[in-house]
Amino acid sequence: NKTNYKINITDITGDKKLNRFLTENILMNSQNSSKEIISIKIDTDYSKVILAKDTAGNVTDYQSKAVTTFIIIKDQDTKTFTVNEKFNFQKMSDKYEEKRYENNIKRSLATSIAHKLIIRLSIAQW
């Protein structure tokens, strides 16, 4: 469901791919014909950390983590909202396939983060 607001993203910092996917998802929920405008600043922090190694010390598992902070401004009211998302996955032997898989993970994380933001906007008391 779309929000009852027009969403303007005014500032974006952090991981470029995650931000691109996130922006696409958020703007799909914007009501461009609405007179009520919400401005949003986005800051993302994406990291890929080692979760496990085998007995030889080779990496076997990773965790992708995305922390996104939204500063939401409507009229003179400002709210801050942070979303944390994680996804565990196994190392792949093919580096190219692993990079493609990691991009798909970023896309999924962005979809989940945007969904949580839209829910928050729809229940916010302004």
Side-chain angles (χ1 to χ4, degrees), residues 24-40:
E24 289 171 3
N25 277 285
I26 292 169
L27 293 179
M28 282 189 321
N29 290 283
S30 180
Q31 284 284 42
N32 291 332
S33 61
S34 178
K35 292 182 182 179
E36 298 213 36
I37 298 172
I38 293 179
S39 297
I40 299 176

Side-chain angles (χ1 to χ4, degrees), residues 71-124:
I71 299 173
I72 305 162
I73 304 161
K74 182 175 183 287
D75 300 325
Q76 299 300 320
D77 196 10
T78 301
K79 297 181 185 219
T80 302
F81 175 55
T82 301
V83 178
N84 297 297
E85 291 288 326
K86 298 176 186 176
F87 185 84
N88 298 343
F89 64 101
Q90 293 182 335
K91 180 180 178 8
M92 297 179 173
S93 57
D94 184 333
K95 293 285 183 193
Y96 175 74
E97 285 300 316
E98 185 173 302
K99 193 67 177 165
R100 265 188 41 190
Y101 187 59
E102 188 175 357
N103 283 336
N104 287 333
I105 291 169
K106 283 184 180 184
R107 185 181 308 275
S108 295
L109 292 173
T111 300
S112 177
I113 292 166
H115 181 73
K116 289 179 180 180
L117 172 67
I118 297 305
I119 289 171
R120 182 70 171 248
L121 292 176
S122 64
I123 62 172

Side-chain angles (χ1 to χ4, degrees), residues 47-54 57-65 87-89 91 98:
S47 62
K48 178 176 151 184
V49 295
I50 297 170
L51 273 186
K53 294 182 179 184
D54 62 17
N58 300 314
V59 175
T60 60
D61 296 87
Y62 291 106
Q63 181 178 75
S64 287
K65 295 167 58 172
F87 185 84
N88 298 343
F89 64 101
K91 180 180 178 8
E98 185 173 302

Side-chain angles (χ1 to χ4, degrees), residues 6-24:
K6 178 179 179 180
I7 299 172
N8 285 335
I9 298 174
T10 59
D11 189 32
I12 304 171
T13 56
D15 187 87
K16 288 183 183 188
K17 278 193 180 174
L18 182 62
N19 285 338
R20 188 183 71 210
F21 297 141
L22 188 55
T23 301
E24 289 171 3

